[in-house]
Amino acid sequence: MVKLRLSVGDSKMSLPGFVHIDPFSQENPGNPADLSRHAEEGEALEIVAADVLDFYPGEFRHRLLGHWVSRLSRGGVILVGTREIVEVCRHVMLGETDSFSQLVFGSSGQRRQSAGTLPELKSMLSLMGTTLVRSYVKDFMSYVEAVRD
């Protein structure tokens, strides 16, 4: 069984040594909701999905995360990022940004359908058989890194 690393999201953020799945690409679109073409269950060493969850409806986020975790090998690492709605609102309330709609909903070509919080993301991953390694908020995004048990 070949162990591989997957990067899910915008190809401008592609990582060396990773198989890239870009749902936003016109030339070579990938489907983050079905990674079976790229990795069997338990085959991936690492999955990085830094800014893709928000482009799916809120009720679908849990299923999408579960699918990604299922592709990880035991001890495999997942790094997930999502728009941090609390951080966006905080900056708007402080007058530090006036681009609320852009930050929350994205551009006209790529519309965000949901947003999350750091506690929500940590909770979802914890319930999926992972151990949280670290979590942080940076530039309006929540990031959680976890290891599959």
Side-chain angles (χ1 to χ4, degrees):
M1 178 184 302
V2 175
K3 298 290 185 177
L4 56 119
R5 291 175 162 79
L6 300 173
S7 171
V8 182
D10 191 337
S11 60
K12 289 178 270 187
M13 298 169 51
S14 68
L15 303 167
F18 283 69
V19 173
H20 191 71
I21 297 115
D22 185 352
F24 312 116
S25 169
Q26 297 296 335
E27 299 83 39
N28 188 21
N31 181 2
D34 182 10
L35 299 182
S36 59
R37 189 175 127 211
H38 305 283
E40 297 298 323
E41 286 194 18
E43 187 177 21
L45 291 172
E46 188 172 1
I47 295 176
V48 175
D51 191 13
V52 70
L53 269 183
D54 305 339
F55 294 92
Y56 294 90
E59 63 275 5
F60 190 66
R61 292 162 63 98
H62 191 271
R63 189 169 55 183
L64 191 57
L65 270 176
H67 176 67
W68 293 343
V69 168
S70 76
R71 299 294 141 178
L72 286 174
S73 60
R74 302 278 178 214
V77 175
I78 185 165
L79 174 65
V80 181
T82 185
R83 182 68 67 197
E84 173 58 54
I85 194 67
V86 173
E87 188 71 4
V88 171
C89 291
R90 187 177 74 78
H91 282 273
V92 170
M93 295 297 291
L94 292 172
E96 295 173 355
T97 183
D98 58 358
S99 59
F100 179 81
S101 290
Q102 174 72 24
L103 287 168
V104 173
F105 302 112
S107 65
S108 60
Q110 298 175 3
R111 302 297 289 174
R112 294 179 190 278
Q113 297 183 39
S114 62
T117 64
L118 186 59
E120 173 196 35
L121 190 55
K122 287 167 63 174
S123 174
M124 284 194 296
L125 282 167
S126 291
L127 294 171
M128 295 178 181
T130 67
T131 300
L132 302 179
V133 174
R134 68 183 176 135
S135 60
Y136 57 96
V137 175
K138 181 181 178 191
D139 299 330
F140 305 110
M141 297 290 290
S142 293
Y143 295 97
V144 176
E145 182 178 339
V147 174
R148 185 172 183 195
D149 299 334

